[in-house]
Amino acid sequence: MKIFKDKQVLKNEISGLKNLCFVPTMGGLHNGHKSLIKKAGRFGRKILVTIFVNPKQFNSKKDFLSYPKEIKKDLIFLKKLKINYLYLPTFKDIYSFKTKHKIYEDKIGKTLCGKFRKSHFKGVLNVINRFLEIIKPRYIFLGKKDFQQLYLIQKHIKKKKIKTQVIQCKTIREKSGIACSSRNLNLNESEKRIASKVYHLIKNEKFTIKKTKKIKFDTKQIKRKIMSYGVKKIDYLEYLNTSNLKKVKNFKSKFNIFIAYYLKNIRLIDNI
């Protein structure tokens, strides 16, 4: 595993590589990241991972500072997976150049998480756009847990005609059902049990809808039940068509139930 901290040195190393597979991360690596890297290994011979906690996508300094940073553990994690390249950029290395493409943020970016985290997706798209211009990968691997983020990145790439293919990867879950997330490192055992209850409740709601073939979704009642578990706050709870993130009109559509909620000051998202 070769480690780079300078974009120009990295570009010199990977210039001309075909089928380069790119897995962007913010560290705090877990089995979800492992799944992305394993899938990347089936697409190309060379895998490049980035670790960069991007301050531009955080809405508060407190949230940025509390985000798990486990670089020593992450290095051991990646060495075991035998990736080829690791890029650990500084803020200056990423943001000190003018990009070729301007950011395209689809209107969906103003809904769900975008409604509650005003500049979040602009920050995500900014850093991903910059990574794509530096790395020029053939493939980028993104998890479905951050479904809205994945959707917006795909829209940006298509709109700007960037020659990188998005590979969607399934959500990896812990035994309890909780979606693997770096933020889980900040949860205690009691909070993990609450998150597990939330997952199973929503999973059962979706199962009922599919079984009865009727969209019967009492949002207020479900929110009350979730809050009774010990959840501090719910930003949103919606069922949406997974092809366009619009409200479901009939049960034949492929849909997921999307949620964002807080356990103390830890914000968790999922779609089931």
Side-chain angles (χ1 to χ4, degrees):
M1 180 175 75
K2 292 184 179 181
I3 301 175
F4 299 86
K5 295 185 178 181
D6 180 274
K7 64 176 176 287
Q8 194 54 53
V9 178
L10 173 66
K11 287 166 78 172
N12 292 340
E13 174 73 23
I14 63 176
S15 177
L17 285 180
K18 294 181 179 180
N19 298 330
L20 180 61
C21 297
F22 172 38
V23 181
T25 85
M26 291 206 300
L29 303 180
H30 48 67
N31 283 336
H33 295 115
K34 183 178 180 179
S35 176
L36 296 178
I37 292 167
K38 289 284 189 182
K39 189 161 187 175
R42 299 197 290 272
F43 276 74
R45 295 175 62 185
K46 301 292 183 180
I47 301 170
L48 187 153
V49 174
T50 55
I51 296 178
F52 179 61
V53 184
N54 177 34
K56 287 185 176 287
Q57 67 189 69
F58 287 83
N59 292 82
S60 74
K61 188 175 180 181
K62 186 177 180 181
D63 190 23
F64 172 67
L65 292 174
S66 67
Y67 193 86
K69 299 170 183 70
E70 304 271 351
I71 190 62
K72 289 183 179 179
K73 290 182 180 179
D74 290 343
L75 288 174
I76 294 169
F77 183 97
L78 293 172
K79 283 178 182 177
K80 286 181 180 178
L81 291 173
K82 298 180 180 179
I83 68 162
N84 303 98
Y85 310 109
L86 172 62
Y87 181 31
L88 299 170
T90 61
F91 180 88
K92 184 178 179 181
D93 205 47
I94 288 292
Y95 288 105
S96 63
F97 69 97
K98 186 176 181 180
T99 59
K100 177 183 175 183
H101 299 108
K102 289 185 178 180
I103 298 303
Y104 171 73
E105 184 180 349
D106 187 87
K107 61 183 179 180
I108 289 295
K110 304 299 181 186
T111 66
L112 299 176
C113 285
K115 184 178 179 181
F116 297 90
R117 303 179 73 191
K118 298 298 182 183
S119 60
H120 172 65
F121 289 122
K122 184 178 179 181
V124 170
L125 292 168
N126 190 349
V127 76
I128 289 295
N129 185 52
R130 289 172 179 276
F131 275 134
L132 294 178
E133 291 197 11
I134 292 168
I135 299 165
K136 294 180 172 58
R138 177 67 184 88
Y139 306 102
I140 181 172
F141 296 78
L142 301 169
K144 291 182 180 180
K145 182 185 79 71
D146 299 298
F147 197 93
Q148 187 180 15
Q149 174 177 290
L150 185 157
Y151 182 91
L152 291 169
I153 291 172
Q154 281 191 141
K155 287 288 185 180
H156 168 71
I157 287 174
K158 185 177 180 180
K159 183 76 173 180
K160 298 302 176 178
K161 298 179 181 179
I162 298 170
K163 295 179 180 179
T164 295
Q165 183 180 343
V166 175
I167 305 298
Q168 298 187 13
C169 303
K170 68 178 182 179
T171 301
I172 303 301
R173 299 184 179 276
E174 298 179 9
K175 289 181 180 180
S176 64
I178 305 172
C180 289
S181 169
S182 301
R183 292 182 187 273
N184 293 353
L185 294 171
N186 290 335
L187 298 175
N188 60 35
E189 291 306 313
S190 175
E191 290 159 348
K192 287 180 180 179
R193 285 194 290 272
I194 294 171
S196 178
K197 285 184 178 181
V198 172
Y199 163 73
H200 286 290
L201 174 65
I202 294 174
K203 183 183 178 184
N204 289 338
E205 284 297 323
K206 183 174 180 180
F207 176 78
T208 301
I209 292 170
K210 293 181 78 172
K211 185 178 179 181
T212 60
K213 297 185 179 180
K214 292 180 181 179
I215 296 175
K216 187 180 180 181
F217 194 68
D218 190 336
T219 304
K220 289 183 179 179
Q221 182 181 349
I222 296 170
K223 281 184 175 181
R224 282 197 296 269
K225 194 163 187 177
I226 290 172
M227 295 294 283
S228 74
Y229 294 157
V231 167
K232 181 181 177 182
K233 176 182 159 187
I234 300 171
D235 275 351
Y236 59 79
L237 178 68
E238 298 185 38
Y239 61 93
L240 302 171
N241 189 309
T242 52
S243 66
N244 55 22
L245 289 182
K246 293 182 179 179
K247 291 190 180 297
V248 182
K249 293 183 179 180
N250 63 72
F251 67 87
K252 293 179 181 178
S253 303
K254 287 187 177 180
F255 72 94
N256 276 356
I257 301 174
F258 290 76
I259 187 170
Y261 64 97
Y262 285 84
L263 291 172
K264 289 186 179 177
N265 295 318
I266 304 162
R267 188 176 191 271
L268 300 176
I269 64 170
D270 204 348
N271 66 93
I272 299 154

